[in-house]
Amino acid sequence: ENVKNLLSNKYKGYFLGWVQFLNEIGYNTYYSIENAKYHGVPQHRERVFAISIRKDVDNHKFDFYRSGDSGIRIKDILEHDVSDKYNLDERYIDSVIIDKNNTINKNEIISIGTVEAYNYLSLKKICSINGISPTIPCRQPLNWIYDYNENRIRSLTPKETWRSMGIKDRYFDIVENEFSNSTLYSLA
């Protein structure tokens, strides 16, 4: 699994070289760009997946399973009674601009506004919990959600971030008290 840029003009030659190497040592490799939103998580996360099967056992019928939109949205992974420490800092509330059109892009990400005080575009977006999340990087979420249930703008918690990756709560619960929140975000 890797970022979809692996198949861009800049890197595709390296990737195909690796596929050729695997072929030479006896493996057939199947690869595809897959989006997490079609595999049961509320996140637009496109990644290249490669599956290599030994030629002596490969029946040439491998195909990447695509289930279509699961219908799972951010609201389905939210915890209840989330601490105020995840709220947008009050210093930035005045810089919030609400998009009355609730822009829905082709990836089912519903943008409802921006936090203009931030200098980085990735820190600005406020997403509706009725849509899916943009790609969550391997650090604290860089997007905000508007939690209609609690009438506040906040970030996802570490547990919610793990849920957005399709990781079951029982696995999060094992490590929750072993690591800091920033590490828990990175591990997701």
Side-chain angles (χ1 to χ4, degrees), residues 49-158:
F49 283 85
I51 305 292
S52 297
I53 302 172
R54 280 191 353 241
K55 290 179 180 183
D56 62 323
V57 296
D58 186 10
N59 64 8
H60 302 283
K61 293 183 180 179
F62 180 82
D63 193 19
F64 286 89
Y65 172 77
R66 291 177 185 85
S67 64
D69 186 350
S70 67
I72 298 172
R73 298 297 183 255
I74 296 170
K75 66 183 177 184
D76 300 317
I77 63 163
L78 297 181
E79 296 185 78
H80 302 289
D81 302 316
V82 172
S83 167
D84 288 345
K85 73 181 182 179
Y86 297 100
N87 288 356
L88 177 65
D89 190 307
E90 289 184 15
R91 295 176 294 174
Y92 302 118
I93 293 295
D94 289 339
S95 76
V96 171
I97 298 175
I98 299 300
D99 174 6
K100 292 186 170 87
N101 297 322
N102 289 343
T103 307
I104 303 173
N105 73 13
K106 65 180 178 180
N107 299 311
E108 293 91 32
I109 299 166
I110 304 172
S111 177
I112 64 166
T114 57
V115 181
E116 290 300 314
Y118 285 107
N119 294 325
Y120 302 101
L121 183 60
S122 60
L123 287 170
K124 290 184 172 193
K125 187 178 289 188
I126 304 170
C127 297
S128 167
I129 62 173
N130 293 320
I132 67 171
S133 172
T135 300
I136 296 175
C138 60
R139 56 191 175 282
Q140 184 168 351
L142 294 180
N143 294 294
W144 300 98
I145 60 168
Y146 178 67
D147 189 339
Y148 299 95
N149 301 319
E150 299 186 16
N151 194 31
R152 64 180 175 159
I153 299 169
R154 68 175 180 87
S155 65
L156 294 175
T157 66

